[in-house]
Amino acid sequence: MLTDSNSSTESALNATIRNASSEVTDQLTLAVVKWINGLIIILGLITNSLILVILSRSRKIGSGTTRIILMFLAATDLFIMVVELFLHYIPLHWQWFPIFYNDFSCGFAFWIQASITATSAWYLMLMTSERFAVVYFPIKAKIICTKRKIVGACIAIPLLSLVCFSYLLTDIRIVESKQFQDYMECAPKEQNERLFKSKIILWIMMYFFIPAIAIVTLNTAIVIRLSQAHKIQQQMTVRSGSVTEAGRKTGGGTSRKFIQSPSQQSASSQSIRKATTLVVAASITFVVLMIPRGVSTMMSLDIEWDYRNRDRFIFDHAAYQLQYLNHAINFFLYILANRNFRSELRKMMPCYKRKHASIKLRTAKLADSEVTQTTIME
């Protein structure tokens, strides 16, 4: 009997230790998530603001229509960070103020978040479609992809998104948090849990899976066409060079009006390639970073929004951070992919302005000294 008592006491002690260890692990995970999420929000606020400033300063980045979509995309990603900060991060992690007072406020917040994240993905799909039209149908693209039509599409997309996801307004209720003591959070209504799970799957399909399939397909076609065009351009450059050389040897020459230099021949294709590189870079990043979120939404969470094990808990939180990182790092992709973007960013830096001002000053002094010397000589 004494052995059984000691065994039960040891088992209870081990269980207590495991529970305490589990609580410490959960608290540590939440602390790491809190700080990573905060850093991503700060990064997104800064980088998307810089994108808007740089694009508004320079018209050399991308084509006119691509630049318009890039500005709408950056503005949407900036708004995503603002919404995440005030509707999720501060209320959940810092609890500075109770943002959720009733069921309607929960549903409204979820509706806004779902709509704007999908809007960002749809802008990326629109930009990829615009690049596809320019590469495959350059003449028709001048009629189809006008600035007015692109602006109209960019305005219509968020409105369509708000309408499409309006069904999320009435499925959310306010409940006591299972993770945070004395805190209220949002969860699906009990009678609509299974239906709500289906609606969430519909949202992730429209937010990630459908845009990802379209983006990958169109970008693959774009890359294939651009590689083919590059080979044809090289062949034409070689032929034009041989024709010019033959004309020189025969003495007849060839009219410069009909033979263009390699730089003139490639100017248009280089412009298209630069704008397309931006789109391809942003598209690849979207697909890669959003794959965990798509898998997580489809598999990790059961209909009661409870995690079955710690691994899925960690996986879902990691996927959530990657989702928002996707809306924060386009700035770095543009720096890597576009020389004009780098140049404009360099011009904004104080060190560049001081250097440019000193160069201007030295040039002005040199010009004045030359004028003075000329006057003396006369």
Side-chain angles (χ1 to χ4, degrees), residues 44 48 77 80-81 117 120 207 323-330:
N48 287 302
D77 287 341
I80 287 173
M81 294 301 162
T117 49
S120 178
Y207 171 30
Q323 173 193 351
Y324 278 88
L325 183 64
N326 168 65
H327 299 289
I329 63 171
N330 283 337

Side-chain angles (χ1 to χ4, degrees), residues 318-336:
Y320 188 83
Q321 304 311 317
L322 290 176
Q323 173 193 351
Y324 278 88
L325 183 64
N326 168 65
H327 299 289
I329 63 171
N330 283 337
F331 173 79
F332 303 104
L333 299 176
Y334 300 162
I335 290 176
L336 293 173

Side-chain angles (χ1 to χ4, degrees), residues 306-361:
D306 290 330
Y307 296 97
R308 297 185 182 93
N309 56 58
R310 184 171 291 103
D311 292 339
R312 289 191 174 181
F313 170 80
I314 295 174
F315 177 72
D316 186 70
H317 278 285
Y320 188 83
Q321 304 311 317
L322 290 176
Q323 173 193 351
Y324 278 88
L325 183 64
N326 168 65
H327 299 289
I329 63 171
N330 283 337
F331 173 79
F332 303 104
L333 299 176
Y334 300 162
I335 290 176
L336 293 173
N338 191 274
R339 181 182 301 172
N340 293 330
F341 193 91
R342 293 194 298 271
S343 176
E344 196 62 37
L345 176 64
R346 195 180 301 114
K347 292 178 183 178
M348 293 173 56
M349 295 180 178
C351 57
Y352 177 88
K353 291 181 179 179
R354 288 195 298 269
K355 182 179 179 182
H356 193 62
S358 64
I359 292 173
K360 279 187 174 181
L361 182 61

Side-chain angles (χ1 to χ4, degrees), residues 253-270:
T254 304
S255 176
R256 292 182 178 272
K257 184 167 57 177
F258 299 103
I259 300 298
Q260 294 181 328
S261 66
S263 60
Q264 290 174 327
Q265 291 176 346
S266 62
S268 177
S269 61
Q270 284 180 354

